[in-house]
Amino acid sequence: MMGRPDVQADARRVFEVLKRGGIAICPADVGYAVMATSTKSLEKIFLTKKRGAHKRHAGIGSYAIHKEIHIMDPLHGEIVDHLTQDLDIPVGVIARYNHDHPMIKNIEPATMEACDVDGSISILVNAGAFQDALTALTFAENTPLLGSSANLSGTGTKYRVDDISKELIDIADIVIDYGLLKWWVHGRSSTLLDFSGPSIEVVRIGACYDVIRDVIKRRWSIDLPQDPGMESLRFGHLKILDPVKSLQDLITPGQGN
């Protein structure tokens, strides 16, 4: 019998691996994620996943990190607070950020180019006990933790370690297996909401989107687009970003000039 996992101890083990420049596959309520802190490891993840140059690194974060890093309109901040704190919903929050924060300054330039979109960055907020424990450690040392879903590009979110492609398992220095994850029923990763402009923009429809859409309409009279369904929009993306030159050069070295 395995018993209750020691989340804090598991987070410390992962943190030690990450500090040495390693790669970790870890649980989040919205699916397993592959993550790192160094540009070299993030590039290795990017190439292994076969991602397109339009894909960005996401911040593996917490509510505390979001509150300290993001710069938001008070109304938008209230919405995020209600969704993540009152309703316990995971949200990928995209917003303008404090460029002078020590954690932001610790992001290497090549990595920052693959995170920043017009002066905003994405931070996943409220993705479960393990992510909160791990990011408490990284944030205490102002170590930026970045990553993406533990899948090959175009294959969908993975909710069990057994479903993660061998290519990713092989590059991971540590894998934390917590079994089937909380929001598996949605079949998509986190909902991404962009608060960087005057109005909320849905970048990706994901976990708990129907609740998010209903709450924002009912309490703030803000209309968000309806989910067309998995058959029409398998991964939920409503917006495709422009490619990043450094990532394009990484994919096709020597062809960027």
Side-chain angles (χ1 to χ4, degrees):
M1 187 170 72
M2 296 177 66
R4 182 183 182 186
D6 189 335
V7 173
Q8 297 297 326
D10 288 343
R12 287 192 294 272
R13 288 196 297 126
V14 169
F15 186 45
E16 291 304 315
V17 169
L18 293 170
K19 287 198 296 184
R20 297 193 297 268
I23 294 171
I25 291 177
C26 300
D29 286 353
V30 291
Y32 282 92
V34 57
M35 58 190 70
T37 61
S38 72
T39 294
K40 181 179 179 181
S41 292
L42 287 165
E43 289 178 347
K44 186 175 184 179
I45 291 169
F46 183 87
L47 290 173
T48 302
K49 289 186 57 169
K50 301 179 176 64
R51 301 191 95 195
H54 63 285
K55 297 279 191 175
R56 300 300 198 273
H57 302 315
I60 310 295
S62 65
Y63 180 72
I65 294 174
H66 150 72
K67 292 293 284 186
E68 194 160 324
I69 297 296
H70 276 150
I71 300 169
M72 300 187 73
D73 176 277
L75 173 61
H76 291 169
E78 181 182 66
I79 291 171
V80 173
D81 288 354
H82 182 54
L83 293 175
T84 63
Q85 303 306 292
D86 301 339
L87 300 180
D88 196 27
I89 290 173
V91 181
V93 180
I94 301 168
R96 291 174 291 114
Y97 61 97
N98 178 5
H99 293 244
D100 294 324
H101 192 281
M103 191 185 78
I104 295 297
K105 287 189 171 183
N106 284 337
I107 300 177
E108 298 171 63
T111 299
M112 179 54 77
E113 185 187 3
C115 296
D116 182 290
V117 179
D118 299 325
S120 66
I121 58 171
S122 172
I123 295 175
L124 178 57
V125 178
N126 198 37
F130 182 86
Q131 182 166 303
D132 284 348
L134 177 58
T135 55
L137 297 172
T138 59
F139 196 41
E141 297 192 13
N142 287 311
T143 300
L145 181 58
L146 302 161
S148 56
S149 297
N151 60 4
L152 300 185
S153 189
T155 65
T157 304
K158 306 305 178 188
Y159 300 96
R160 297 181 193 268
V161 165
D162 288 348
D163 295 329
I164 298 173
S165 299
K166 184 178 183 297
E167 294 97 319
L168 283 175
I169 296 292
D170 287 347
I171 68 167
D173 298 289
I174 187 169
V175 177
I176 302 298
D177 186 350
Y178 279 8
L180 182 64
L181 299 176
K182 183 176 181 179
W183 295 117
W184 68 271
V185 68
H186 292 286
R188 289 172 173 157
S189 190
S190 59
T191 293
L192 295 179
L193 300 179
D194 188 348
F195 296 93
S196 64
S199 59
I200 304 172
E201 182 178 6
V202 180
V203 174
R204 183 176 68 200
I205 294 171
C208 307
Y209 182 73
D210 288 343
V211 176
I212 292 169
R213 181 172 179 264
D214 177 76
V215 165
I216 291 177
K217 172 63 175 177
R218 181 158 39 90
R219 297 201 173 275
W220 288 278
S221 300
I222 296 172
D223 288 307
L224 299 182
Q226 187 171 354
D227 183 355
M230 295 280 284
E231 291 187 5
S232 300
L233 199 65
R234 173 68 182 87
F235 303 119
H237 294 283
L238 295 181
K239 181 178 180 179
I240 304 299
L241 300 172
D242 292 333
V244 176
K245 185 181 185 301
S246 61
L247 295 178
Q248 187 62 59
D249 291 345
L250 184 66
I251 297 169
T252 54
Q255 297 181 25
N257 296 324

